[in-house]
Amino acid sequence: MKTVRISKSLEKALNSQVTLEAFSAQMYLMLACWADENQLDGVKKFMMKHSQEERVHMAKIIEYIQERGGTVVIESVAKPGPKPKNVLQCFELVLKQEIENTTAIYKLVKMSMDEEDWATWNFMQWLVAEQREEEKLALDLLDKAKLAGGAAMTDTARFELNKVIGNTGQDFPIADDVNPLE
């Protein structure tokens, strides 16, 4: 017997978040390809890892919808915007996308509070914490790009920044430890 323990409105909003996470994964893949085209192997490595992390988020949300008896609807994903012109623009795009994710997640948290769906509210807390980490990381990397000279950085500064980004720690304990994929 299938029992649905989530409202249609939250189910729809969570499905929208699945699509947003998929879009984020695609955007990170686009940025990884751009980095490869521009001989930025460290940036490529960083973007590939983050694309994978977004897919993990997507899978965890799918599993939650199913666990609550809801129906997952997989929608088409919009094409990411134009490629950046430089490293600074690359990390501006990252920050913009992470802020968009955070805004959507906060709306889900508010919806779950308004509906007194404490299970969904509790589930969403890992994403709230995850987004705090993601925004901090995006801001830190954007600051590093600005310190390296921004849009006008020299080849030497670009080379050094690429090394720093390639060596940036990329463990995601919140995403990795919550509701692990089987």
Side-chain angles (χ1 to χ4, degrees):
M1 177 168 103
K2 183 175 178 181
T3 303
V4 179
R5 299 285 296 138
I6 191 166
S7 71
K8 285 293 179 192
S9 59
L10 269 171
E11 177 185 273
K12 182 178 179 185
L14 285 164
N15 274 302
S16 292
Q17 188 64 36
V18 167
T19 304
L20 183 56
E21 298 291 342
F23 174 80
S24 296
Q26 292 293 92
M27 189 205 68
Y28 278 119
L29 283 176
M30 180 268 293
L31 293 174
C33 293
W34 170 84
D36 184 67
E37 293 162 10
N38 287 277
Q39 296 77 46
L40 296 166
D41 60 329
V43 174
K44 175 186 171 184
K45 176 182 167 188
F46 178 87
M47 295 301 172
M48 291 297 284
K49 174 68 175 168
H50 271 72
S51 178
Q52 177 60 30
E53 183 188 14
E54 298 299 335
R55 289 188 297 273
V56 168
H57 295 173
M58 182 178 64
K60 289 179 185 210
I61 296 167
I62 287 170
E63 288 178 345
Y64 179 77
I65 294 167
Q66 292 168 333
E67 172 189 309
R68 301 299 290 165
T71 301
V72 175
V73 178
I74 303 296
E75 298 287 344
S76 62
V77 179
K79 177 181 174 184
K83 293 179 182 179
K85 293 179 175 47
N86 53 55
V87 177
L88 180 67
Q89 264 189 9
C90 175
F91 286 99
E92 287 172 343
L93 288 171
V94 168
L95 179 61
K96 180 179 180 240
Q97 187 61 39
E98 292 303 339
I99 290 171
E100 184 179 338
N101 275 346
T102 300
T103 300
I105 288 162
Y106 288 174
K107 286 179 182 174
L108 277 162
V109 170
K110 177 149 180 14
M111 280 181 71
S112 65
M113 285 183 69
D114 291 346
E115 293 186 20
E116 297 182 1
D117 180 339
W118 306 122
T120 301
W121 182 90
N122 186 58
F123 171 75
M124 293 304 299
Q125 296 312 299
W126 75 268
L127 264 174
V128 170
E130 180 71 16
Q131 285 308 120
R132 188 184 75 239
E133 287 179 3
E134 291 296 330
E135 284 189 22
K136 181 182 182 326
L137 181 58
L139 283 166
D140 288 349
L141 294 173
L142 184 57
D143 285 345
K144 284 179 174 61
K146 288 176 181 176
L147 285 171
M153 75 178 67
T154 65
D155 287 344
T156 302
R158 197 171 97 126
F159 177 79
E160 291 299 322
L161 180 63
N162 181 60
K163 281 197 310 189
V164 168
I165 292 170
N167 292 324
T168 299
Q170 296 200 56
D171 293 326
F172 305 105
I174 292 172
D176 294 341
D177 292 342
V178 175
N179 207 15
L181 298 173
E182 315 280 341

